[in-house]
Amino acid sequence: MVKGILRALAPMLFVLGAGQALAQAAAEAKPAAESDKAYLFAHMMKGDYGTLYYSISTDGLHWTFLNKGKPVSSDYHGHASIARGPDGRYYLVGNKSDDDPLIRFWVSDDLIRWEPFGTYEPDLSKVKNHPHALQRIGAPKLFFDQPSGQFLLMWHTPNVPGSDEDPERYWASQRTLYVLSKDLKTFTAPPKRLFTWDMATIDTIMQPNPAGGYCAIIKDERYPSYNWTTGKTIRITCGPTLTGPFPEPGPPLSPNFREAPTLIRAPDGEDWYLYYEQYAGTSYGLSMAPRLEGPWYQVSGNSGVPEWNRYEMTPGARHGSMLPISRAQYDALVKAFPN
């Protein structure tokens, strides 16, 4: 009789066990936040290009807009990119527009108050293997390399003008340039190309690879076609040193027509979260991987169906950068820019 009861209950127990397994898998898909870790997303907004706004998160997946949706700085303009320097202070880079000949820096002790720090005017007339560079400085990005004690300053510059008939000539000629600096006061000159391969690249960011070397995350700025199926996607290339040499990047980490990548590590240190904008200001996408080399997959979010979402981004957020902060810094930002 007992065996008969067990046989009758077996399908129910199997279903319950499967349900528990599914519930566990769903829970593992949403990493729990660690109390001492948080993140800041410094970004612009759709309809307010170049102005500085803040969103914050405790898990790197669900973001809260600060300051009642108002800007956090009246002075800054640019594609917000923040690096923490050797003195523990934060350095922010931007420019007034792509036509601005100056790259501008701000500094902050607490990520709340930003003060002008200085400017740098790159000489674009002597860039090796990029002749006839136009006076354009696109989306300056800043990274501080602890092993070498140097800031890596990157931006993209074209050398072919566009036209109403063929605007893509301009974008197809973009190349990522860089200079190095110990203090953002003196710079190596002239600027150099970061990549030797003949591919249009913009929005480059740099990340040390735990496996060794460095990985550059780039936007392939070629227009999508049968010849260039990777056009307008986010890709990654990893090399032995801060300035390469970098091999041609691997397969796309995002769909087409994505840009402005920003990268953070999950609170548990197990996964990488790569965010990118579906321009212009439509939404943010997310791909994740256990290692920078992959495998990468696209995470579901902003779907309109809450049960499907694994992340929630500030609606209307555009270009910017994410960085890890402490929970104390998180609390200070909430206090300084309350909702």
Side-chain angles (χ1 to χ4, degrees), residues 24-64:
Q24 181 180 356
E28 290 174 351
K30 293 186 177 182
E34 296 186 9
S35 60
D36 62 335
K37 293 184 179 180
Y39 303 89
L40 169 65
F41 182 27
H43 57 89
M44 64 179 76
M45 291 295 295
K46 186 175 183 178
D48 197 6
Y49 199 84
T51 303
L52 185 63
Y53 294 82
Y54 278 174
S55 295
I56 52 174
S57 173
T58 56
D59 64 0
L61 295 171
H62 300 85
W63 296 87
T64 301

Side-chain angles (χ1 to χ4, degrees), residues 98-138:
D98 286 357
D99 296 331
D100 185 359
L102 299 178
I103 297 176
R104 301 166 188 272
F105 305 101
W106 290 258
V107 66
S108 175
D109 294 322
D110 54 12
L111 295 168
I112 296 171
R113 291 166 290 273
W114 291 99
E115 298 178 356
F117 182 76
T119 62
Y120 164 62
E121 184 172 3
D123 183 358
L124 299 177
S125 66
K126 300 177 182 178
V127 181
K128 187 177 180 181
N129 297 322
H130 196 51
H132 314 299
L134 303 180
Q135 183 55 58
R136 298 287 189 276
I137 299 172

Side-chain angles (χ1 to χ4, degrees), residues 232-250:
K232 311 292 187 184
T233 67
I234 306 302
R235 304 173 68 185
I236 190 168
T237 174
C238 299
T241 73
L242 180 64
T243 57
F246 293 99
E248 289 198 23

